[in-house]
Each structure stands twice: as structure tokens, then as C-alpha cells.
Amino acid sequence: MFGKDIVAAVWASATIADWIQMALLLTAVVALGFNARGYILQARANDVENYLRMKDQFAEAWRRYRDASDEDGKSFELIEILNLMETCCHLIETNAFRRASRVMLTDYLKETIPAVFDNSDAREVVQRHLFGPDTFFYIRRFARRHGLARVPQQ
């Protein structure tokens, strides 16, 4: 009963200024809720945009690889694809992608990385370009974490 008495006393002694302050507080809380919801929706939209952008970059990289006319051109384009894979592996590793993009890109990389390293020509190009322990480090770490075989480790 003691708590109800305090509320009743505060309620009875509230002035117009107190009511205005309570209304402003309620308005601020509602606005905060709407802002939080807007932020969540924007983050989801950015997540989809990031995934679609990476998907387009991979599609373009694979087209350039397919259209390369000579071995040097194919080698260069393959290294560009591997650099893009390295970037994605790094962004996945550092949780830069939100859940949906991270899951879809992880699935894509789990399918394509073994396919690249299963190709003998690609494996030769990769071996020529493994200059040091940091070269394609995140691809190798990604491959270890996801149990992908045939990815060269140093």
C-alpha cells in the first residue's frame, strides 16, 4: 500500500509543467523506438546490398576469366578471383558481414574454393603466387575452419 500512496500523492500534486514533461518524455521514448526500428531495417537492407554487390563482383570476375584470350590473361584473372575470395574470407572472418550475407557467401566460398584448387592449372598459378606466409592467408584459414581439402597450406 505504501507504493500506491506515493503514486497517488505524486499524481495529485502534478502541475501542468509536470504533465508536459511527461508527455515530452513519452514522445522521446516513442521516437527512440522508431529510430531503432529504422536502424534495424537499414542494416538489413545494407546486408542484402553487400551480398548482391559481392555476387556481382564474382560474376564479373568469372566472366573476365572465361573471356581471357591467353594463359597470362587467365592467370591474371584467376589471381584477381583469388584476391576477391581473400577479401570475402577476411570480411567473413572479422564478422564485417551480417548473418544473411555471411551465411550465403560462406556457402558460395565453400563450393568454389575447392573447385579452384582442384583444377591443376589453377593450382599451378596459385603455387607460383604464394610469395609468403600471408599470401591468401584468409583463404587458407577459411579452408581449415570449414574442412576444405586440397587448399595449399604453408
Side-chain angles (χ1 to χ4, degrees):
M1 288 287 217
F2 183 69
K4 287 184 179 181
D5 293 337
I6 291 176
V7 170
V10 169
W11 188 266
S13 66
T15 64
I16 298 273
D18 294 334
W19 286 105
I20 292 172
Q21 286 180 346
M22 285 189 275
L24 290 174
L25 177 63
L26 179 62
T27 303
V29 168
V30 169
L32 180 64
F34 277 115
N35 284 338
R37 178 162 166 66
Y39 176 75
I40 290 168
L41 293 175
Q42 183 180 8
R44 286 182 184 165
N46 287 341
D47 190 36
V48 170
E49 182 182 350
N50 288 337
Y51 172 72
L52 293 175
R53 186 177 302 127
M54 293 307 295
K55 183 178 173 273
D56 287 344
Q57 288 181 354
F58 273 112
E60 182 60 31
W62 284 112
R63 263 188 233 102
R64 285 192 314 265
Y65 176 74
R66 179 197 64 203
D67 295 342
S69 58
D70 61 349
E71 283 304 311
D72 287 340
K74 283 208 178 287
S75 260
F76 176 80
E77 294 303 335
L78 180 62
I79 294 302
E80 290 299 308
I81 289 170
L82 289 168
N83 286 332
L84 186 55
M85 287 179 174
E86 175 79 356
T87 300
C88 278
C89 289
H90 180 252
L91 293 172
I92 288 169
E93 181 74 22
T94 58
N95 290 322
F97 289 123
R98 289 179 48 92
R99 188 179 190 293
S101 292
R102 188 173 56 246
V103 167
M104 289 186 286
L105 286 170
T106 297
D107 290 344
Y108 176 78
L109 291 171
K110 285 166 62 174
E111 291 178 18
T112 55
I113 289 174
V116 168
F117 288 97
D118 279 346
N119 181 308
S120 62
D121 294 334
R123 202 170 30 244
E124 179 185 324
V125 168
V126 170
Q127 289 296 337
R128 280 192 315 227
H129 289 89
L130 282 176
F131 298 120
D134 292 339
T135 307
F136 303 130
F137 172 77
Y138 286 99
I139 291 176
R140 291 182 280 127
R141 178 185 277 179
F142 181 89
R144 275 193 308 271
R145 286 200 174 168
H146 294 280
L148 305 178
R150 298 177 298 281
V151 175
Q153 302 291 326
Q154 290 181 330

